[in-house]
Amino acid sequence: MDPLVCVVDDDDSVRESLIGLLGSAGFAAEAFSSAESFLAADVRQHAACAIVDVMMPHMTGPQLQQVLASEGALLPLIFITGEPREEVREGVMRAGAEAFFAKPFDEDELLETVADIVRRRGAE
């Protein structure tokens, strides 16, 4: 079974393009339009990692990171954002994020980050 990558972004076009990109690289991918829908899904227990938008309505990416941490979840998070701010990057990285990419991001670099996480998690 291909490693599962979850995509959490409120932008339809970003979700669709990431699903296509991940699929083309051999990853299974499941998309969620909100942090809340992601938290409600059982699939997150089996995911290799999640690509999460920073700015979403209701619950932001950093807030999702806090909820996951409070639950003791060890899911690696890769953040993406259209409004890169250094204090946000520093905050999510300090809280354990794997990477932080500004949109538009380098697709190869993103895929390399996902592949690295999958390799490391497979070795655990």
Side-chain angles (χ1 to χ4, degrees):
M1 188 167 79
D2 292 333
L4 176 65
V5 179
C6 294
V7 175
V8 186
D9 196 308
D10 60 312
D11 185 317
D12 293 341
S13 63
V14 171
R15 283 195 314 275
E16 289 169 15
S17 67
L18 281 171
I19 293 294
L21 176 67
L22 291 161
S24 72
F27 298 106
E30 188 159 336
F32 300 89
S33 61
S34 70
E36 295 86 351
S37 63
F38 173 69
L39 286 170
D42 290 337
V43 71
R44 68 188 175 102
Q45 307 300 332
H46 311 291
C49 66
I51 299 171
V52 181
D53 188 20
V54 170
M55 295 304 299
M56 294 181 286
H58 309 294
M59 183 185 293
T60 66
Q63 289 169 332
L64 172 62
Q65 184 182 37
Q66 291 173 343
V67 169
L68 291 171
S70 73
E71 293 178 350
L74 301 176
L75 181 67
L77 301 180
I78 299 168
F79 284 92
I80 56 175
T81 184
E83 299 176 24
R85 295 201 323 268
E86 188 57 26
E87 64 273 12
V88 174
R89 186 194 72 74
E90 287 176 3
V92 298
M93 295 303 288
R94 198 170 32 252
E98 291 283 335
F100 187 92
F101 292 97
K103 297 174 190 173
F105 44 81
D106 182 303
E107 293 179 348
D108 291 334
E109 194 177 340
L110 178 69
L111 289 174
E112 193 174 300
T113 301
V114 171
D116 182 51
I117 292 168
V118 168
R119 271 192 302 277
R120 280 187 284 135
R121 287 183 65 96
E124 290 175 0

